[in-house]
Amino acid sequence: MTVHWTRRQLLRLAGAATLTGALTGALRAEGIETQTALPAAQTPQLPFGLTRPVHVGEVCLRAKDVARLKAYYTSMLGLDVLTDAPDAVTLGAGGTPLLHILARPDATPEAPGQAGLYHTAFLMPDRADLARWLVHVARSQIPLTGFADHSVSEAVYLTDPEGNGVEVYSDRPQETWLWAGNTVTMGSRELNIDDIFIKTKTRTDRDEYTTVPAALRIGHIHLRVGGLETARAFYADGLGLDVVAGSDQRGATFLSSGRYHHHIGANIWESRDAGPRQEAMTGLDWFSLHTTDEAILEGRRADLQAKGFAVSAIEGGFEALDPWGTRVRLKRV
């Protein structure tokens, strides 16, 4: 296998000469066999993070150039085009919508320091899928911004053509995660690319990532916020997610449902004291959280209203505005 060739290629794509350099890029982004498509009638087995009482569903972006972003995500990840209109595109995997792109040709690029999207994190079903995808981006010459081992997961970072952060990752088995009470250990160290290729027996001399895995989903979303205490008041006290990692000293907080390592991350690394978001700018328009439990849906609605957050009805659930105006949808699915 030409493992070392592909490793060097990945490093070049990440703009780094060494894995240490690639880890630096990842820290900035944070502070086997050929894939076979499943039959349409077969429901794919979802990763652990998508089986929790609440999990991330969809993300919607505002774009100056819808066609450009559609081409990027269909090429980079292989997402399927589910709907395609001049003013809006929906992309997904296995028939499930994941990413909506809205045409906003007159929008201005999101200004530095604004609250909004830090990255959308696409979760590969397993490590072998991540390995095949790594070969795909290397051989397709798609630029990377870094990669890192976060103890609970192995992650690769990119930036789309309009500046939206992207993470593609696979989780380690949840029984290997280290918990101290209700706090999970998430580190950042060099990603062992050779080990990924060797252990998954992945070919590196050709691109075998021929279709998006049917069980690929959005595992988490990471946000830029103006303040961590204020973020926790909305996402923990209001939406009922558990704080599982991070600290004010670190400048980030991580929240989840059902002891996942995190469904939502929020940081102030570039956005401390940010004010309300500007609708006329590109970037995140809304994202959704999904649940199958009606009691969770109604309980979260009541908690948010009791705390004074604006809540409005949508099909299947409700939409609330976080303290910076980011639209968050909670839906029963």
Side-chain angles (χ1 to χ4, degrees), residues 223-301:
L223 304 170
R224 299 191 308 266
V225 300
L228 298 181
E229 184 177 353
T230 306
R232 288 189 288 265
F234 178 84
Y235 290 101
D237 300 339
L239 277 175
L241 298 176
D242 301 315
V243 177
V244 294
S247 66
D248 290 358
Q249 292 73 28
R250 185 178 172 184
T253 189
F254 301 91
L255 307 98
S256 78
S257 171
R259 290 177 75 83
Y260 188 52
H261 55 74
H262 68 297
H263 289 107
I264 293 179
N267 75 68
I268 55 171
W269 300 328
E270 302 167 358
S271 56
R272 184 187 296 270
D273 298 325
R277 300 186 60 217
Q278 304 300 310
E279 288 286 334
M281 290 182 178
T282 60
L284 182 65
D285 191 71
W286 56 264
F287 72 93
S288 67
L289 298 170
H290 293 176
T291 183
T292 61
D293 191 331
E294 183 69 22
I296 289 177
L297 184 70
E298 293 308 317
R300 300 292 76 79
R301 188 201 310 264

Side-chain angles (χ1 to χ4, degrees), residues 118-284:
Y118 199 62
H119 60 240
T120 301
F122 294 91
L123 175 57
M124 287 287 174
D126 57 39
R127 201 183 196 210
D129 290 313
L130 181 68
R132 282 187 289 269
W133 175 80
L134 275 167
V135 175
H136 168 70
V137 293
R139 300 187 68 86
S140 301
Q141 295 287 292
I142 297 172
L144 308 176
T145 58
F147 25 89
D149 182 338
H150 293 306
S151 302
V152 294
S153 63
E154 295 173 300
V156 181
Y157 297 92
L158 312 90
T159 302
D160 78 17
E162 294 203 358
N164 300 295
V166 180
E167 177 182 340
V168 179
Y169 73 111
S170 66
D171 280 332
R172 286 205 166 89
Q174 64 268 22
E175 58 268 19
T176 68
W177 303 350
L178 298 178
W179 290 85
N182 294 321
T183 301
V184 67
T185 297
M186 292 194 291
S188 288
R189 58 182 186 269
E190 293 178 359
L191 183 64
N192 190 336
I193 298 169
D194 291 349
D195 187 70
I196 293 174
F197 290 142
I198 292 168
K199 295 290 179 58
T200 61
K201 299 180 172 63
T202 297
R203 296 282 299 264
T204 61
D205 58 340
R206 65 188 185 192
D207 186 352
E208 294 188 333
Y209 187 83
T210 57
T211 184
V212 64
L216 180 135
R217 295 293 186 269
I218 297 175
H220 67 266
I221 186 168
H222 197 142
L223 304 170
R224 299 191 308 266
V225 300
L228 298 181
E229 184 177 353
T230 306
R232 288 189 288 265
F234 178 84
Y235 290 101
D237 300 339
L239 277 175
L241 298 176
D242 301 315
V243 177
V244 294
S247 66
D248 290 358
Q249 292 73 28
R250 185 178 172 184
T253 189
F254 301 91
L255 307 98
S256 78
S257 171
R259 290 177 75 83
Y260 188 52
H261 55 74
H262 68 297
H263 289 107
I264 293 179
N267 75 68
I268 55 171
W269 300 328
E270 302 167 358
S271 56
R272 184 187 296 270
D273 298 325
R277 300 186 60 217
Q278 304 300 310
E279 288 286 334
M281 290 182 178
T282 60
L284 182 65

